[in-house]
Structures are given as structure tokens and as C-alpha cells.
Amino acid sequence: MVRAEQVVIAQLTDTHISVGDHGLGQAYWDENTRRLRSAVRSLNAETEPPAVVIGTGDLVECGSTAAYEILTEITSQLNMPFWPLPGNHDSRVNIRKSFPEMPWEENHASWSQEVPDTDIQVIALDTTQAGRQGGFVDAERLEWVADQIDQATWARKPCVVATHHPPFLTGIDWMDAMGFEGFDELRAVFIEHPPTQIISGHFHRNITAQVGTTVASVGIATTMHINLDLSNAAVPSIINDPIGYQLLSIPNDEEPQVITHTRFIDRASVARPIQVQI
Ligand SMILES: [Fe+2]
Ligand SMILES: [Fe+2]
């Protein structure tokens, strides 16, 4: 396939839209809505427009239909397709209903599709299970993702795997402690079947690691970030770090690679403690 010199895809994550109070006050959630609107305006203003925007989960706070109505009202204003996958705060039922055009798998809310007019495959792996904050993959999902990566690799296509929960430990212990069932098995799949890049959410901040030979990254959220505290004594806290999204540039090279940039669209303040359920 002949394609442009580079293709840019965007990663928007952890927008946490809500209409409820959830103990933080309605103003907190109104701010998340405002931030998503400003991210959409910024994405539409990119001089090298992203071909698609991938939403790597926790798109709403509590899975409600009303929250997805706000989400879809705002993301429908994007000049390019918005391809969502669920995080632990999403509802797999309502995300499917809200984005019926996505080629959802039947038994898990994963999908795999080609970026229009390119040979780039995006493979979104659902790492959620109802009632669980941490990650989850079973044998069926492991087999599915390995097969999807193999198909792209055999066709020499760049392939980006998107997950909500990252397949690496971050060192932010209270978040890592949420756990990930099937973690070792998923890493083994990525080591044996390396995709071009792995992008994730859940931690709300830029983090980069390596899984086998593949670069794996977490993108910054548009909502408040998990506080950066790497001490073993770190207490759960969030911080108003600068928000934005990722731009992944994929050059039309012989050897597929992804170059990741961060677009900042807002400013910072101080950390605040929060209550979490693990
Ligand atoms: Fe989140
Ligand atoms: Fe999450």
C-alpha cells in the first residue's frame, strides 16, 4: 500500500466524564468536561491532523448512560474518527451502545481495525472485567491479541496495541497494587509476538517502559493525574499536572516504528490526597 510520508494518530485517555458528584463535587466533573472540549478543539486545530483518535479507557467515571451522552456529544465534534476502548471506570455495555460502529469482539470489548487509507493496524485489547479496578486478561483474550499481532506482522504492517491497563509495573505502588490478572501471560505474548508499540492509560501521566523489544507507554490524561510519588510510603493522591494528549507519528519506513509526542493544553497546580478502593 502506498501511503503518506507519515501518519499521525492521537491518543486521548482517561477523560473521566461524569454527571454525578462521587464525593468530589460537581465542579470537579464539570472541569473534566471542559477539559475534554478543549482537547477536542486542540485536536481539530493540529496542523498535521491525526487520522484517528484512540481513547484508551476510563472515558467516563461510572459507566452511566448520561455520561456517555456527554462523551459522544463532545467526541462527535472531532474532525476525525474516535475509536474508544474501555477502562475500569467504563461500562462495557454502555460503551458498546454508545459507539455501535466499532467492530467489537463478542466476548470482550476489544477490536482491531486499520487506520483508514493506511496499512497501520490498531489492536485494542480490553483489559477490564466488571467489578475489578485492576487489569484482567484470560486465555481467550491472550490468544486473540497474539493472533491480531501476528496477522499485522506477517503483512509487514505497523501495529499499535492499545490497552487501558499498562503491561508493566510503574513504581507508583498504590496504583500497581490494583493488580492485573494475566499480567505475566500478557507480557509473554508481547515478548513472543512484539507489536510496533503499546499504548495504555489508567495512570493519567506520561510513563515509558519496555516490554520485550517493544516500547510501551502510558499517555497523559485530560483529567487530574495520579501524583508522581515513587516512594514505598506513597499515599493515594492526584495532582493537577498539565493535561493533553499524545501524537504518535508513524513514518512510512521499511522498519515500522512509532515516535511519540505529547501535546500539552493546560496548566498545573498541587497534589491532593484521595480515597481509593483497591
Ligand atoms: Fe483513569
Ligand atoms: Fe483506570
Side-chain angles (χ1 to χ4, degrees):
M1 144 119 24
V2 176
R3 62 177 168 87
E5 270 177 37
Q6 68 165 347
V7 173
V8 174
I9 61 179
Q11 179 196 7
L12 186 64
T13 196
D14 292 83
T15 51
H16 285 267
I17 297 299
S18 176
V19 289
D21 178 274
H22 306 292
L24 289 168
Q26 187 59 48
Y28 179 91
W29 306 105
D30 290 346
E31 171 65 4
N32 283 356
T33 302
R34 186 195 70 75
R35 290 168 173 214
L36 176 56
R37 287 190 195 283
S38 85
V40 166
R41 274 196 302 275
S42 178
L43 283 158
N44 284 342
E46 290 290 349
T47 51
E48 183 73 27
V52 295
V53 177
I54 302 164
T56 46
D58 283 0
L59 302 172
V60 307
E61 175 64 16
C62 65
S64 74
T65 306
Y68 282 107
E69 280 171 9
I70 297 174
L71 177 74
T72 52
E73 181 259 312
I74 301 173
T75 56
S76 69
Q77 293 168 33
L78 284 164
N79 293 340
M80 62 292 289
F82 178 65
W83 291 355
L85 68 143
N88 48 299
H89 285 272
D90 287 288
S91 150
R92 285 198 280 176
V93 172
N94 286 337
I95 200 170
R96 284 174 189 269
K97 276 192 200 153
S98 303
F99 298 93
E101 70 282 7
M102 296 303 295
W104 303 108
E105 289 294 309
E106 201 172 322
N107 295 333
H108 42 103
S110 305
W111 49 259
S112 176
Q113 60 184 348
E114 209 172 65
V115 177
D117 303 321
T118 78
D119 60 351
I120 298 164
Q121 193 75 21
V122 180
I123 301 164
L125 172 67
D126 177 8
T127 56
T128 69
Q129 190 187 40
R132 183 190 288 266
Q133 296 299 312
F136 173 86
V137 285
D138 56 12
E140 182 181 358
R141 297 189 206 185
L142 291 166
E143 195 179 315
W144 178 84
V145 75
D147 183 52
Q148 292 297 323
I149 297 167
D150 283 350
Q151 286 182 37
T153 305
W154 292 331
R156 297 189 63 78
K157 295 165 62 170
C159 74
V160 174
V161 171
T163 66
H164 179 65
H165 300 86
F168 56 88
L169 294 175
T170 67
I172 302 175
D173 291 347
W174 65 272
M175 284 287 290
D176 287 338
M178 289 180 186
F180 194 145
E181 190 171 323
F183 180 82
D184 292 341
E185 294 83 353
L186 181 58
R187 287 175 60 87
V189 164
F190 290 143
I191 290 164
E192 265 184 56
H193 310 258
T196 313
Q197 179 96 5
I198 301 165
I199 58 171
S200 304
H202 192 54
F203 283 77
H204 296 208
R205 62 169 43 261
N206 277 132
I207 309 172
T208 307
Q210 191 171 350
V211 179
T213 56
T214 300
V215 174
S217 59
V218 172
I220 57 170
T222 55
T223 189
M224 288 179 74
H225 293 191
I226 300 302
N227 189 26
L228 178 56
D229 186 342
L230 298 176
S231 77
N232 292 334
V235 295
S237 59
I238 54 177
I239 187 167
N240 213 9
D241 274 350
I243 64 158
Y245 50 83
Q246 275 46 244
L247 292 176
L248 311 176
S249 166
I250 304 173
N252 191 5
D253 290 342
E254 194 72 6
E255 280 302 315
Q257 64 164 324
V258 175
I259 298 147
T260 306
H261 303 270
T262 299
R263 173 73 70 201
F264 294 108
I265 58 170
D266 217 330
R267 292 176 184 260
S269 76
V270 294
R272 65 188 267 187
I274 54 164
Q275 302 284 328
V276 286
Q277 272 187 326
I278 294 175

